[in-house]
Amino acid sequence: MRTFTSRSAAGAAALSLALLVTGCSGSDSGSSQAGPVSMEFWGWAPGYDKITAQWNAAHPDIKVTFKQIPSGAKGGYDQMTNAITAGKSPCLAQVTYNDIPSMLVKNALMDITSYASDDTGKYLDWTVAASSAGGKVYGIPVDTGPMALYYRTDLFKKFGITKPPATWDEYAADAAKVRAADKNVAFGTAPQDAYDMAALTWQTGKSWFGTKGSSWRVSIDNPGTQQVAKYWQGLKDKKQVMNNGNAWDPNFDKASEAGKVMTFVNAAWAVPGIKGDLKDLSGKWAVAPMPTWTAGDKASSNSGGSATSVLSGCKTPKKAEQFAAFLSSDPDAVSTGIKVGGLYPASKAGLNNPLLSKGDPYFGGQKIYDVFKESAANIPTTWVVGPTFGQVEADYSDAIGKSTYTQATTTVQQKTIDKIKSLGLSVTGG
């Protein structure tokens, strides 16, 4: 069985390449860090405001002000880079692992290696690699996103489905059964964007990016992605899944409340979304392992997860790193992240947090984090993060709205190659 800490070096190698060919770097400004300081922290994760308050209560000489911004893909990164250009950037920011390379290309992140070297051993190895480039640290890992299947126990009983589907073939069979019984009920939700497609592809063991010599290799249009694309297009064409997001999408929430959607596939961090938006459905949801492509296989996937980075221009990077380490590893901060934000810790010690071993009343008393723990232990180690995920996300979302998943995948493949070339980086396809 693969362990979550046995992440291959491919991701780190790819990030190193991004650093090498773009010349990204960061350094301490050299200014004094003595005396009381004030810093801003920009992010979007639930619970970060409360963790910031915990820090301020324990560190009166280092005040951090949290500012809620849209998620990176919804404009948060643009706000960060615009602030850096204007010389008004915050010291700290939430950056997903997927987006660290592209933020490095923009020279937006500061090298915090000299401050973080004593802290990196606290976190899962692959998250440290994903937050680093060229042997330098550009973020303190916060969380990961092991995937699972969320499902309605009451609706499964209603439609005579005795257990959650263990394979994607079983998922499709259940979807067909529900569609035949009631055309107004969708079995699940269709992929909406690059985040969904990436997570589903990750499970196949195929990666969208890699390196070949001194070049980036783009392989978004690979057999794994096409397998995912054809599968979900088939369900979508048969109207067996709804064409909306999940756990926070108003359309999904409305359908859930009306008993019109039965499942969705997503990460551990979706827990507070469903509990917060669908309070009246407490006791009717459960969590099962993500279906696999082959019976008996346990391969799962990861979606999301982020680090706390120090942005270029920060005058107090040492103290900024101290806050970042607190957010990720302080026991009380980790508990707040789990309880309020549904964050599945990147901290090794955090994985033993008592909250992760308790039954959740909303999920009928189920120990849901046992499912996520198993998922985390079975994530393929082949995924490599590329340097332009923001562009991939925008292009995928646009293409999915205009064409089939298969056509969208081919379109995004070429657009990604073109984008990387435009940055002056060496790139090959396939």
Side-chain angles (χ1 to χ4, degrees), residues 389-401:
F389 195 83
Q391 160 265 321
V392 174
E393 161 60 14
D395 287 342
Y396 238 132
S397 296
D398 179 64
I400 286 173

Side-chain angles (χ1 to χ4, degrees), residues 306-323:
S306 62
T308 307
S309 292
V310 180
L311 296 189
S312 299
C314 179
K315 303 300 183 183
T316 53
K318 181 177 182 179
K319 291 179 179 178
E321 189 280 334
Q322 290 172 355
F323 170 82

Side-chain angles (χ1 to χ4, degrees), residues 62-134:
I62 308 175
K63 182 181 179 181
V64 177
T65 301
F66 177 70
K67 178 181 177 181
Q68 188 88 23
I69 62 171
S71 66
K74 303 297 183 182
Y77 296 136
D78 289 340
Q79 288 190 23
M80 294 176 200
T81 54
N82 290 340
I84 291 171
T85 301
K88 298 179 180 180
S89 65
C91 262
L92 296 142
Q94 179 180 359
V95 182
T96 70
Y97 303 129
N98 276 336
D99 293 295
I100 284 177
S102 58
M103 292 294 278
L104 281 173
V105 169
K106 298 174 183 177
N107 292 304
L109 307 183
M110 184 174 285
D111 170 13
I112 57 171
T113 310
S114 60
Y115 314 121
S117 57
D118 291 338
D119 292 321
T120 53
K122 298 177 182 177
Y123 310 104
L124 297 172
D125 296 346
W126 81 263
T127 64
V128 176
S131 306
S132 304

